[in-house]
PDB file of all heavy atoms in Angstrom:
ATOM      1  N   PHE C   3      17.949 -34.151 -10.251  1.00  0.00           N
ATOM      2  CA  PHE C   3      17.305 -32.898 -10.682  1.00  0.00           C
ATOM      3  C   PHE C   3      15.867 -32.827 -10.197  1.00  0.00           C
ATOM      4  O   PHE C   3      15.420 -31.830  -9.607  1.00  0.00           O
ATOM      5  CB  PHE C   3      17.382 -32.901 -12.232  1.00  0.00           C
ATOM      6  CG  PHE C   3      16.760 -31.733 -12.909  1.00  0.00           C
ATOM      7  CD1 PHE C   3      17.547 -30.725 -13.466  1.00  0.00           C
ATOM      8  CD2 PHE C   3      15.384 -31.620 -13.028  1.00  0.00           C
ATOM      9  CE1 PHE C   3      16.986 -29.632 -14.113  1.00  0.00           C
ATOM     10  CE2 PHE C   3      14.799 -30.519 -13.698  1.00  0.00           C
ATOM     11  CZ  PHE C   3      15.600 -29.556 -14.239  1.00  0.00           C
ATOM     12  N   VAL C  18       7.645 -18.690   1.390  1.00  0.00           N
ATOM     13  CA  VAL C  18       8.009 -17.508   2.186  1.00  0.00           C
ATOM     14  C   VAL C  18       8.183 -16.276   1.270  1.00  0.00           C
ATOM     15  O   VAL C  18       7.717 -15.178   1.554  1.00  0.00           O
ATOM     16  CB  VAL C  18       9.312 -17.778   3.004  1.00  0.00           C
ATOM     17  CG1 VAL C  18       9.799 -16.487   3.666  1.00  0.00           C
ATOM     18  CG2 VAL C  18       9.069 -18.849   4.047  1.00  0.00           C
ATOM     19  N   ALA C  40      -6.804  11.220   0.933  1.00  0.00           N
ATOM     20  CA  ALA C  40      -6.261  12.513   1.318  1.00  0.00           C
ATOM     21  C   ALA C  40      -6.246  13.481   0.124  1.00  0.00           C
ATOM     22  O   ALA C  40      -6.369  14.694   0.302  1.00  0.00           O
ATOM     23  CB  ALA C  40      -4.838  12.337   1.852  1.00  0.00           C
ATOM     24  N   LEU C  41      -6.085  12.958  -1.085  1.00  0.00           N
ATOM     25  CA  LEU C  41      -6.036  13.801  -2.277  1.00  0.00           C
ATOM     26  C   LEU C  41      -7.452  14.247  -2.697  1.00  0.00           C
ATOM     27  O   LEU C  41      -7.590  15.089  -3.595  1.00  0.00           O
ATOM     28  CB  LEU C  41      -5.391  13.069  -3.452  1.00  0.00           C
ATOM     29  CG  LEU C  41      -3.880  13.005  -3.454  1.00  0.00           C
ATOM     30  CD1 LEU C  41      -3.389  12.026  -4.504  1.00  0.00           C
ATOM     31  CD2 LEU C  41      -3.260  14.366  -3.644  1.00  0.00           C
ATOM     32  N   VAL C  48     -12.204   5.086  -5.784  1.00  0.00           N
ATOM     33  CA  VAL C  48     -11.018   4.272  -5.508  1.00  0.00           C
ATOM     34  C   VAL C  48     -11.376   2.782  -5.496  1.00  0.00           C
ATOM     35  O   VAL C  48     -10.676   1.963  -6.114  1.00  0.00           O
ATOM     36  CB  VAL C  48     -10.349   4.680  -4.147  1.00  0.00           C
ATOM     37  CG1 VAL C  48      -9.085   3.909  -3.925  1.00  0.00           C
ATOM     38  CG2 VAL C  48     -10.064   6.166  -4.124  1.00  0.00           C
ATOM     39  N   VAL C  79       7.201 -27.945  -9.515  1.00  0.00           N
ATOM     40  CA  VAL C  79       6.222 -26.897  -9.203  1.00  0.00           C
ATOM     41  C   VAL C  79       6.827 -25.642  -8.618  1.00  0.00           C
ATOM     42  O   VAL C  79       6.546 -24.536  -9.090  1.00  0.00           O
ATOM     43  CB  VAL C  79       5.110 -27.473  -8.244  1.00  0.00           C
ATOM     44  CG1 VAL C  79       4.192 -26.381  -7.726  1.00  0.00           C
ATOM     45  CG2 VAL C  79       4.326 -28.552  -8.948  1.00  0.00           C
ATOM     46  N   TRP C  81       9.798 -23.871  -8.464  1.00  0.00           N
ATOM     47  CA  TRP C  81      10.601 -22.874  -9.182  1.00  0.00           C
ATOM     48  C   TRP C  81       9.780 -22.067 -10.205  1.00  0.00           C
ATOM     49  O   TRP C  81       9.833 -20.845 -10.179  1.00  0.00           O
ATOM     50  CB  TRP C  81      11.877 -23.546  -9.808  1.00  0.00           C
ATOM     51  CG  TRP C  81      12.746 -22.529 -10.485  1.00  0.00           C
ATOM     52  CD1 TRP C  81      12.993 -22.381 -11.787  1.00  0.00           C
ATOM     53  CD2 TRP C  81      13.456 -21.446  -9.827  1.00  0.00           C
ATOM     54  NE1 TRP C  81      13.801 -21.325 -12.031  1.00  0.00           N
ATOM     55  CE2 TRP C  81      14.124 -20.722 -10.833  1.00  0.00           C
ATOM     56  CE3 TRP C  81      13.612 -21.054  -8.494  1.00  0.00           C
ATOM     57  CZ2 TRP C  81      14.916 -19.605 -10.576  1.00  0.00           C
ATOM     58  CZ3 TRP C  81      14.388 -19.936  -8.226  1.00  0.00           C
ATOM     59  CH2 TRP C  81      15.045 -19.237  -9.244  1.00  0.00           C
ATOM     60  N   TYR C  94       9.051 -14.379 -21.147  1.00  0.00           N
ATOM     61  CA  TYR C  94      10.466 -14.420 -20.772  1.00  0.00           C
ATOM     62  C   TYR C  94      10.811 -15.766 -20.139  1.00  0.00           C
ATOM     63  O   TYR C  94      11.808 -16.415 -20.488  1.00  0.00           O
ATOM     64  CB  TYR C  94      10.841 -13.301 -19.774  1.00  0.00           C
ATOM     65  CG  TYR C  94      12.182 -13.536 -19.155  1.00  0.00           C
ATOM     66  CD1 TYR C  94      13.347 -13.235 -19.862  1.00  0.00           C
ATOM     67  CD2 TYR C  94      12.296 -14.097 -17.877  1.00  0.00           C
ATOM     68  CE1 TYR C  94      14.596 -13.504 -19.301  1.00  0.00           C
ATOM     69  CE2 TYR C  94      13.533 -14.347 -17.324  1.00  0.00           C
ATOM     70  CZ  TYR C  94      14.679 -14.042 -18.017  1.00  0.00           C
ATOM     71  OH  TYR C  94      15.920 -14.322 -17.483  1.00  0.00           O
ATOM     72  N   PHE C 123      20.227 -28.110 -12.408  1.00  0.00           N
ATOM     73  CA  PHE C 123      19.154 -27.326 -11.785  1.00  0.00           C
ATOM     74  C   PHE C 123      19.685 -26.025 -11.202  1.00  0.00           C
ATOM     75  O   PHE C 123      19.064 -24.956 -11.350  1.00  0.00           O
ATOM     76  CB  PHE C 123      18.434 -28.156 -10.721  1.00  0.00           C
ATOM     77  CG  PHE C 123      17.162 -27.515 -10.244  1.00  0.00           C
ATOM     78  CD1 PHE C 123      16.057 -27.458 -11.111  1.00  0.00           C
ATOM     79  CD2 PHE C 123      17.023 -26.971  -8.985  1.00  0.00           C
ATOM     80  CE1 PHE C 123      14.884 -26.828 -10.705  1.00  0.00           C
ATOM     81  CE2 PHE C 123      15.875 -26.367  -8.550  1.00  0.00           C
ATOM     82  CZ  PHE C 123      14.786 -26.310  -9.422  1.00  0.00           C
ATOM     83  N   PHE C 128      20.060 -19.951 -11.598  1.00  0.00           N
ATOM     84  CA  PHE C 128      20.864 -18.712 -11.680  1.00  0.00           C
ATOM     85  C   PHE C 128      20.747 -17.977 -13.010  1.00  0.00           C
ATOM     86  O   PHE C 128      20.567 -16.787 -13.053  1.00  0.00           O
ATOM     87  CB  PHE C 128      22.358 -19.024 -11.381  1.00  0.00           C
ATOM     88  CG  PHE C 128      22.662 -19.083  -9.930  1.00  0.00           C
ATOM     89  CD1 PHE C 128      22.929 -20.277  -9.305  1.00  0.00           C
ATOM     90  CD2 PHE C 128      22.661 -17.915  -9.167  1.00  0.00           C
ATOM     91  CE1 PHE C 128      23.185 -20.338  -7.918  1.00  0.00           C
ATOM     92  CE2 PHE C 128      22.924 -17.963  -7.787  1.00  0.00           C
ATOM     93  CZ  PHE C 128      23.168 -19.179  -7.175  1.00  0.00           C
ATOM     94  N   GLY C 137      17.493  -4.793 -14.580  1.00  0.00           N
ATOM     95  CA  GLY C 137      16.710  -3.584 -14.572  1.00  0.00           C
ATOM     96  C   GLY C 137      16.408  -3.070 -13.127  1.00  0.00           C
ATOM     97  O   GLY C 137      16.412  -1.885 -12.862  1.00  0.00           O
ATOM     98  N   LYS C 147      13.459   6.794  -7.980  1.00  0.00           N
ATOM     99  CA  LYS C 147      12.873   8.015  -7.447  1.00  0.00           C
ATOM    100  C   LYS C 147      13.106   9.180  -8.413  1.00  0.00           C
ATOM    101  O   LYS C 147      12.192   9.970  -8.677  1.00  0.00           O
ATOM    102  CB  LYS C 147      13.450   8.303  -6.077  1.00  0.00           C
ATOM    103  CG  LYS C 147      12.740   9.423  -5.354  1.00  0.00           C
ATOM    104  CD  LYS C 147      13.279   9.618  -3.943  1.00  0.00           C
ATOM    105  CE  LYS C 147      12.588  10.778  -3.278  1.00  0.00           C
ATOM    106  NZ  LYS C 147      13.140  11.042  -1.958  1.00  0.00           N
ATOM    107  N   THR C 174       4.426   7.036 -27.219  1.00  0.00           N
ATOM    108  CA  THR C 174       5.544   6.183 -27.632  1.00  0.00           C
ATOM    109  C   THR C 174       5.097   4.711 -27.723  1.00  0.00           C
ATOM    110  O   THR C 174       5.509   3.981 -28.606  1.00  0.00           O
ATOM    111  CB  THR C 174       6.730   6.330 -26.633  1.00  0.00           C
ATOM    112  OG1 THR C 174       7.064   7.706 -26.572  1.00  0.00           O
ATOM    113  CG2 THR C 174       7.909   5.542 -27.099  1.00  0.00           C
ATOM    114  N   MET C 183       2.468  -4.772 -34.371  1.00  0.00           N
ATOM    115  CA  MET C 183       1.325  -5.681 -34.352  1.00  0.00           C
ATOM    116  C   MET C 183       0.621  -5.767 -35.715  1.00  0.00           C
ATOM    117  O   MET C 183       0.186  -6.833 -36.120  1.00  0.00           O
ATOM    118  CB  MET C 183       0.332  -5.245 -33.272  1.00  0.00           C
ATOM    119  CG  MET C 183       0.819  -5.629 -31.896  1.00  0.00           C
ATOM    120  SD  MET C 183      -0.381  -5.362 -30.655  1.00  0.00           S
ATOM    121  CE  MET C 183       0.598  -5.726 -29.199  1.00  0.00           C
ATOM    122  N   SER C 197     -10.561  -5.821 -30.739  1.00  0.00           N
ATOM    123  CA  SER C 197     -10.385  -5.187 -29.396  1.00  0.00           C
ATOM    124  C   SER C 197     -10.775  -3.716 -29.450  1.00  0.00           C
ATOM    125  O   SER C 197     -11.494  -3.220 -28.576  1.00  0.00           O
ATOM    126  CB  SER C 197      -8.938  -5.374 -28.985  1.00  0.00           C
ATOM    127  OG  SER C 197      -8.640  -4.596 -27.883  1.00  0.00           O
ATOM    128  N   GLY C 205     -18.115   1.707 -25.026  1.00  0.00           N
ATOM    129  CA  GLY C 205     -18.173   3.139 -24.710  1.00  0.00           C
ATOM    130  C   GLY C 205     -19.511   3.721 -25.116  1.00  0.00           C
ATOM    131  O   GLY C 205     -20.139   4.477 -24.357  1.00  0.00           O
ATOM    132  N   VAL C 210     -25.120   5.553 -24.003  1.00  0.00           N
ATOM    133  CA  VAL C 210     -26.562   5.489 -24.320  1.00  0.00           C
ATOM    134  C   VAL C 210     -27.376   5.070 -23.081  1.00  0.00           C
ATOM    135  O   VAL C 210     -28.390   5.656 -22.758  1.00  0.00           O
ATOM    136  CB  VAL C 210     -26.813   4.483 -25.483  1.00  0.00           C
ATOM    137  CG1 VAL C 210     -28.317   4.252 -25.689  1.00  0.00           C
ATOM    138  CG2 VAL C 210     -26.163   5.047 -26.773  1.00  0.00           C
ATOM    139  N   TRP C 215     -21.508   1.934 -14.102  1.00  0.00           N
ATOM    140  CA  TRP C 215     -20.832   0.814 -13.440  1.00  0.00           C
ATOM    141  C   TRP C 215     -20.070  -0.059 -14.447  1.00  0.00           C
ATOM    142  O   TRP C 215     -19.067  -0.705 -14.112  1.00  0.00           O
ATOM    143  CB  TRP C 215     -21.865  -0.089 -12.701  1.00  0.00           C
ATOM    144  CG  TRP C 215     -22.952  -0.635 -13.625  1.00  0.00           C
ATOM    145  CD1 TRP C 215     -24.158  -0.046 -13.856  1.00  0.00           C
ATOM    146  CD2 TRP C 215     -22.909  -1.822 -14.432  1.00  0.00           C
ATOM    147  NE1 TRP C 215     -24.882  -0.820 -14.765  1.00  0.00           N
ATOM    148  CE2 TRP C 215     -24.144  -1.895 -15.124  1.00  0.00           C
ATOM    149  CE3 TRP C 215     -21.955  -2.822 -14.622  1.00  0.00           C
ATOM    150  CZ2 TRP C 215     -24.444  -2.929 -16.007  1.00  0.00           C
ATOM    151  CZ3 TRP C 215     -22.261  -3.857 -15.534  1.00  0.00           C
ATOM    152  CH2 TRP C 215     -23.473  -3.901 -16.190  1.00  0.00           C
TER     153      TRP C 215
END
Side-chain angles (χ1 to χ4, degrees):
Chain C
F3 179 105
V18 172
L41 281 171
V48 184
V79 171
W81 183 248
Y94 167 78
F123 192 69
F128 275 108
K147 190 174 177 185
T174 305
M183 284 188 186
S197 168
V210 172
W215 57 268

